[in-house]
Amino acid sequence: MRTVTATAAAVTAALAAGAASVAAGRFASDAALKAPPGRPLPTEPRLTVHGTAAGQVVLTRDLAALRPGTYGLSGDGSHAVVGPVLTTVPHSADTVVRRLERVTHGTLSRGDAVWLTPNLYVGDPSGALGLDHTDVGVPGELGSLPAWYVPAARSTWVIAVHGLGTTREHALNLLAFLHGRRFPVLALSYRGDLGAPRPPDGLNHFGETEWRDVDAAMRYAVRHGAERLVLLGWSTGATMALRAAARSELRDLVSGLVLDSPVLDWQATLRALAAARRTPGALLPLAVRAAQGRTGLNAERADETTDLSVPTLIIHGPDDTVAPWTTTRLLAARRPDLITLHPVPRAPHAAMWNADPDAYEEALRRFLTPLM
């Protein structure tokens, strides 16, 4: 009887441990599968506002606070824009002073928790940039997808697709540049975004299902006069663009791809986001398996990036902790006939433009000129 009891207890303990591991894997995978649009990714540290002065903001000293370039500075109920680090301004050893360009809304007060974001603008193209636009609904397979259409003279349209942790406001960074070169732009919200249909399982699929919303945007553009298409995506938006360029029935109309910080290895990205949530290393394989079980993502699926058939500009950098730079370099090396790789050092995920806007836009200008 004692043996039976001990065996039962051991089995119960093993089952409990297994159930706990499964639950831990699911929780860890949520960092990527349930990343809310417009909220910081786990890799983005919270900073504290230590004070403000005319044209200056003092932040917690952190590698993030020392990044070169221009960024949005978001808090709960506030948004501002900060420029470069002001190295000549006196400050304590544990703080950093950056140039405060403007406060878009709310206030920055001492003690506020904030984070850097690639979104410099809030609102819509008319309010943020003074560009005429139309709010449109793109018919998608799950329902209507909100989008901004900014008209221009060319027959080649740019379809802009945001990625993890951002919204279509991310496209506002480039809208003035694209409009100045007379490209009509369709900035898309897709399943899971505010105002868009919810995915049936409520999860992000790293572009594996979301690409069909890009396909819907391509169809919308063609119905409204587009003759050629350039797909521009950040993060998982870049993944969606790649999938659409390979799978859409309209793929022959795609004349170019622009991929910023592309997520080419979803498992590596999921592990990075789960680790940023302080998931123990031993549980990271469980997070990947949980994601596979919840979404149907196949780790063995052939990667369509090897089937590229159009000119492609990839803008990425070695300091991206979310989408591996090594994977991007390998892809570019495999297809030097089609891929132009523009490296950006010291830039976080999907913020390549923020680190050096002038160099970014020059690379984009050179790439787009032959596609006009």
Side-chain angles (χ1 to χ4, degrees), residues 208-257:
E208 187 60 31
T209 56
E210 295 88 350
W211 76 268
R212 293 195 282 271
D213 294 343
V214 179
D215 178 58
M218 294 164 66
R219 295 176 185 278
Y220 178 93
V222 170
R223 284 196 303 271
H224 289 81
E227 297 177 7
R228 304 291 290 173
L229 302 169
V230 173
L231 307 183
L232 185 162
W234 294 263
S235 180
T236 50
T239 315
M240 294 176 223
L242 279 167
R243 297 287 183 265
R247 301 178 186 176
S248 172
E249 292 180 359
L250 299 178
R251 57 186 175 273
D252 290 342
L253 298 183
V254 177
S255 58
L257 293 171

Coordinates of all heavy atoms in Angstrom, one line a residue, residues 208-257:
E208 N 2.0 35.2 -40.6 CA 1.5 34.0 -41.3 C 0.1 34.0 -41.7 O -0.3 33.4 -42.7 CB 1.8 32.7 -40.4 CG 1.6 31.4 -41.1 CD 2.5 31.2 -42.3 OE1 3.6 31.8 -42.4 OE2 2.1 30.5 -43.3
T209 N -0.8 34.7 -40.9 CA -2.1 34.9 -41.3 C -2.4 36.3 -41.7 O -3.2 36.6 -42.6 CB -3.1 34.5 -40.2 OG1 -2.8 35.2 -39.0 CG2 -3.0 33.0 -40.0
E210 N -1.7 37.2 -41.0 CA -1.9 38.7 -41.2 C -1.6 39.1 -42.6 O -2.1 40.2 -43.1 CB -1.1 39.5 -40.2 CG -1.5 39.3 -38.8 CD -0.8 38.1 -38.1 OE1 -0.1 37.3 -38.8 OE2 -0.9 37.9 -36.9
W211 N -0.7 38.4 -43.4 CA -0.4 38.8 -44.7 C -1.6 38.9 -45.6 O -1.6 39.7 -46.6 CB 0.6 37.8 -45.3 CG 0.0 36.5 -45.8 CD1 -0.1 35.4 -45.1 CD2 -0.6 36.3 -47.1 NE1 -0.7 34.4 -45.9 CE2 -1.0 34.9 -47.1 CE3 -0.8 37.1 -48.3 CZ2 -1.7 34.4 -48.2 CZ3 -1.4 36.5 -49.4 CH2 -1.8 35.2 -49.3
R212 N -2.7 38.2 -45.3 CA -3.9 38.3 -46.1 C -4.5 39.7 -46.0 O -5.3 40.1 -46.9 CB -4.8 37.2 -45.7 CG -4.3 35.8 -46.1 CD -5.4 34.7 -46.0 NE -5.7 34.3 -44.7 CZ -5.1 33.3 -44.0 NH1 -4.1 32.6 -44.6 NH2 -5.5 33.0 -42.8
D213 N -4.3 40.4 -44.9 CA -4.8 41.7 -44.8 C -4.0 42.7 -45.7 O -4.5 43.6 -46.3 CB -4.7 42.2 -43.4 CG -5.7 41.5 -42.4 OD1 -6.6 40.8 -43.0 OD2 -5.5 41.5 -41.2
V214 N -2.7 42.4 -45.9 CA -1.9 43.1 -46.9 C -2.4 42.8 -48.3 O -2.5 43.7 -49.1 CB -0.4 42.8 -46.7 CG1 0.4 43.6 -47.8 CG2 0.1 43.1 -45.3
D215 N -2.7 41.6 -48.5 CA -3.3 41.2 -49.8 C -4.6 42.0 -50.1 O -4.8 42.5 -51.2 CB -3.5 39.7 -49.8 CG -4.2 39.2 -51.1 OD1 -3.6 39.5 -52.2 OD2 -5.3 38.7 -51.1
A216 N -5.4 42.1 -49.0 CA -6.6 42.9 -49.2 C -6.3 44.4 -49.5 O -7.0 45.0 -50.3 CB -7.5 42.8 -47.9
A217 N -5.3 44.9 -48.9 CA -4.9 46.3 -49.2 C -4.4 46.4 -50.6 O -4.6 47.4 -51.3 CB -3.8 46.8 -48.2
M218 N -3.7 45.4 -51.1 CA -3.2 45.4 -52.5 C -4.4 45.4 -53.5 O -4.4 46.2 -54.5 CB -2.3 44.2 -52.8 CG -1.0 44.2 -52.0 SD -0.2 42.6 -51.9 CE 0.3 42.3 -53.6
R219 N -5.4 44.6 -53.2 CA -6.6 44.6 -54.0 C -7.3 45.9 -54.0 O -7.8 46.4 -55.0 CB -7.5 43.4 -53.6 CG -6.9 42.1 -53.7 CD -7.8 40.9 -53.2 NE -7.1 39.7 -53.3 CZ -7.1 38.9 -54.4 NH1 -7.7 39.3 -55.5 NH2 -6.4 37.8 -54.4
Y220 N -7.4 46.5 -52.8 CA -8.0 47.8 -52.7 C -7.3 48.8 -53.6 O -7.9 49.6 -54.3 CB -8.1 48.3 -51.3 CG -8.7 49.6 -51.0 CD1 -10.0 49.8 -50.7 CD2 -7.9 50.8 -51.2 CE1 -10.6 51.0 -50.6 CE2 -8.5 52.0 -51.0 CZ -9.8 52.1 -50.7 OH -10.4 53.4 -50.5
A221 N -6.0 48.8 -53.5 CA -5.2 49.8 -54.2 C -5.4 49.6 -55.7 O -5.6 50.6 -56.5 CB -3.7 49.6 -53.9
V222 N -5.4 48.4 -56.2 CA -5.6 48.2 -57.6 C -7.0 48.6 -58.1 O -7.1 49.2 -59.2 CB -5.3 46.7 -58.0 CG1 -5.7 46.3 -59.4 CG2 -3.8 46.4 -57.7
R223 N -8.0 48.3 -57.3 CA -9.3 48.7 -57.6 C -9.4 50.3 -57.7 O -10.3 50.8 -58.4 CB -10.3 48.2 -56.6 CG -10.6 46.7 -56.7 CD -11.9 46.4 -56.0 NE -11.8 46.7 -54.6 CZ -11.4 45.9 -53.6 NH1 -10.9 44.7 -53.9 NH2 -11.3 46.3 -52.4
H224 N -8.6 51.0 -57.0 CA -8.7 52.4 -57.0 C -7.6 53.1 -57.8 O -7.2 54.3 -57.5 CB -8.7 52.9 -55.5 CG -9.9 52.6 -54.8 ND1 -10.2 51.3 -54.3 CD2 -11.1 53.3 -54.6 CE1 -11.4 51.3 -53.7 NE2 -11.9 52.5 -53.9
G225 N -7.0 52.4 -58.7 CA -6.1 53.0 -59.7 C -4.7 52.7 -59.7 O -3.9 53.1 -60.5
A226 N -4.2 51.9 -58.7 CA -2.8 51.6 -58.6 C -2.4 50.6 -59.8 O -3.1 49.6 -60.0 CB -2.4 50.9 -57.3
E227 N -1.3 50.9 -60.4 CA -0.8 50.0 -61.5 C 0.4 49.2 -61.0 O 0.6 48.1 -61.5 CB -0.4 50.9 -62.7 CG -1.6 51.6 -63.3 CD -1.2 52.5 -64.5 OE1 0.0 52.4 -64.9 OE2 -2.1 53.2 -65.0
R228 N 1.1 49.7 -60.1 CA 2.2 49.0 -59.5 C 2.2 49.3 -58.0 O 1.6 50.2 -57.5 CB 3.6 49.5 -60.1 CG 3.7 49.4 -61.6 CD 3.7 47.9 -62.1 NE 5.0 47.2 -61.7 CZ 5.1 45.9 -61.9 NH1 4.2 45.2 -62.4 NH2 6.3 45.4 -61.6
L229 N 2.9 48.4 -57.2 CA 2.8 48.4 -55.8 C 4.2 48.3 -55.2 O 5.0 47.5 -55.6 CB 1.9 47.3 -55.2 CG 0.5 47.3 -55.7 CD1 -0.2 45.9 -55.3 CD2 -0.3 48.4 -55.2
V230 N 4.5 49.1 -54.2 CA 5.7 48.9 -53.3 C 5.2 48.6 -51.9 O 4.4 49.4 -51.4 CB 6.6 50.2 -53.3 CG1 7.7 50.0 -52.3 CG2 7.1 50.5 -54.7
L231 N 5.6 47.5 -51.4 CA 5.2 47.1 -50.0 C 6.3 47.5 -49.1 O 7.4 47.1 -49.2 CB 4.9 45.6 -50.0 CG 4.0 45.0 -51.0 CD1 3.8 43.5 -50.8 CD2 2.6 45.7 -51.0
L232 N 5.9 48.3 -48.1 CA 6.9 48.8 -47.1 C 6.4 48.3 -45.7 O 5.3 48.6 -45.3 CB 6.9 50.3 -47.2 CG 7.9 51.1 -46.3 CD1 8.1 52.5 -46.9 CD2 7.5 51.2 -44.8
G233 N 7.2 47.6 -45.0 CA 6.8 47.1 -43.7 C 7.9 47.2 -42.7 O 9.1 47.1 -43.0
W234 N 7.5 47.3 -41.4 CA 8.4 47.3 -40.3 C 8.2 46.0 -39.5 O 7.0 45.6 -39.3 CB 8.2 48.5 -39.3 CG 8.4 49.8 -39.9 CD1 9.6 50.6 -39.7 CD2 7.6 50.7 -40.7 NE1 9.5 51.8 -40.3 CE2 8.3 51.9 -41.0 CE3 6.3 50.5 -41.2 CZ2 7.7 52.9 -41.7 CZ3 5.7 51.5 -42.0 CH2 6.4 52.7 -42.2
S235 N 9.2 45.4 -39.0 CA 9.1 44.3 -38.0 C 8.2 43.2 -38.6 O 8.5 42.7 -39.7 CB 8.4 44.8 -36.7 OG 8.2 43.9 -35.8
T236 N 7.2 42.7 -38.0 CA 6.3 41.7 -38.5 C 5.5 42.3 -39.7 O 5.0 41.5 -40.6 CB 5.3 41.2 -37.5 OG1 4.7 42.3 -36.8 CG2 6.0 40.3 -36.5
G237 N 5.4 43.6 -39.9 CA 4.8 44.2 -41.1 C 5.7 43.9 -42.3 O 5.2 43.7 -43.4
A238 N 7.0 43.8 -42.1 CA 7.9 43.4 -43.2 C 7.7 41.9 -43.5 O 7.8 41.6 -44.7 CB 9.4 43.7 -42.7
T239 N 7.5 41.1 -42.5 CA 7.2 39.7 -42.7 C 5.9 39.6 -43.6 O 5.8 38.8 -44.5 CB 7.0 38.9 -41.4 OG1 8.1 39.3 -40.5 CG2 7.0 37.4 -41.6
M240 N 4.9 40.3 -43.2 CA 3.6 40.3 -44.0 C 3.9 40.7 -45.5 O 3.3 40.1 -46.4 CB 2.6 41.3 -43.4 CG 2.1 40.9 -42.0 SD 1.0 42.1 -41.3 CE 1.6 42.2 -39.7
A241 N 4.7 41.7 -45.6 CA 5.0 42.2 -47.0 C 5.7 41.1 -47.8 O 5.4 40.8 -49.0 CB 5.9 43.4 -46.9
L242 N 6.7 40.4 -47.2 CA 7.3 39.3 -47.8 C 6.3 38.2 -48.2 O 6.4 37.6 -49.3 CB 8.4 38.7 -46.9 CG 9.7 39.4 -46.8 CD1 10.5 38.9 -45.7 CD2 10.5 39.2 -48.1
R243 N 5.4 37.8 -47.3 CA 4.4 36.8 -47.5 C 3.5 37.2 -48.7 O 3.2 36.4 -49.6 CB 3.6 36.5 -46.3 CG 4.4 36.0 -45.1 CD 4.8 34.5 -45.3 NE 5.5 34.0 -44.2 CZ 6.8 33.9 -44.0 NH1 7.6 34.4 -45.0 NH2 7.4 33.4 -42.9
A244 N 3.1 38.4 -48.6 CA 2.2 38.9 -49.7 C 2.8 38.9 -51.1 O 2.2 38.5 -52.1 CB 1.6 40.3 -49.4
A245 N 4.1 39.3 -51.1 CA 4.9 39.3 -52.4 C 5.0 38.0 -52.9 O 5.2 37.8 -54.1 CB 6.2 40.0 -52.2
A246 N 5.0 36.9 -52.1 CA 5.2 35.6 -52.5 C 3.9 34.9 -52.8 O 3.8 34.0 -53.7 CB 6.0 34.8 -51.5
R247 N 2.8 35.2 -52.1 CA 1.6 34.4 -52.2 C 0.4 35.1 -52.8 O -0.5 34.4 -53.3 CB 1.2 34.0 -50.7 CG 2.2 33.2 -50.0 CD 1.7 33.0 -48.6 NE 2.7 32.3 -47.7 CZ 2.5 32.1 -46.4 NH1 1.4 32.4 -45.8 NH2 3.5 31.5 -45.7
S248 N 0.4 36.4 -52.9 CA -0.8 37.1 -53.4 C -1.0 36.8 -54.9 O 0.0 36.7 -55.6 CB -0.7 38.6 -53.2 OG -1.7 39.3 -53.8
E249 N -2.2 36.8 -55.3 CA -2.5 36.7 -56.8 C -2.1 37.9 -57.5 O -2.0 37.9 -58.7 CB -4.0 36.4 -57.0 CG -4.4 35.0 -56.5 CD -5.9 34.7 -56.7 OE1 -6.6 35.6 -57.3 OE2 -6.3 33.6 -56.4
L250 N -1.8 39.0 -56.8 CA -1.4 40.3 -57.4 C 0.1 40.5 -57.3 O 0.6 41.6 -57.5 CB -2.1 41.4 -56.7 CG -3.7 41.5 -56.8 CD1 -4.2 42.7 -56.1 CD2 -4.1 41.5 -58.3
R251 N 0.8 39.4 -56.9 CA 2.3 39.6 -56.7 C 3.0 40.1 -57.9 O 4.1 40.7 -57.8 CB 2.9 38.3 -56.2 CG 2.7 37.1 -57.2 CD 3.2 35.8 -56.5 NE 2.9 34.6 -57.4 CZ 1.8 33.9 -57.4 NH1 0.9 34.3 -56.5 NH2 1.7 32.9 -58.1
D252 N 2.5 39.9 -59.1 CA 3.2 40.4 -60.3 C 3.1 41.9 -60.4 O 3.9 42.5 -61.2 CB 2.6 39.8 -61.6 CG 2.9 38.3 -61.7 OD1 3.8 37.8 -61.1 OD2 2.2 37.6 -62.5
L253 N 2.3 42.5 -59.6 CA 2.2 44.0 -59.6 C 3.1 44.6 -58.6 O 3.3 45.8 -58.6 CB 0.8 44.4 -59.3 CG -0.3 44.0 -60.3 CD1 -1.7 44.6 -60.0 CD2 0.1 44.4 -61.8
V254 N 3.8 43.8 -57.8 CA 4.7 44.3 -56.8 C 6.1 44.6 -57.5 O 6.7 43.7 -58.0 CB 5.0 43.3 -55.6 CG1 6.0 43.8 -54.7 CG2 3.6 43.0 -54.9
S255 N 6.4 45.9 -57.4 CA 7.7 46.3 -58.1 C 8.8 46.4 -57.1 O 10.0 46.5 -57.6 CB 7.5 47.6 -58.8 OG 7.1 48.6 -58.0
G256 N 8.6 46.4 -55.8 CA 9.7 46.5 -54.9 C 9.2 46.3 -53.5 O 8.0 46.4 -53.2
L257 N 10.1 45.9 -52.6 CA 9.9 45.7 -51.2 C 10.8 46.6 -50.4 O 12.0 46.6 -50.7 CB 10.1 44.2 -50.8 CG 9.1 43.2 -51.3 CD1 9.6 41.8 -51.0 CD2 7.7 43.4 -50.8

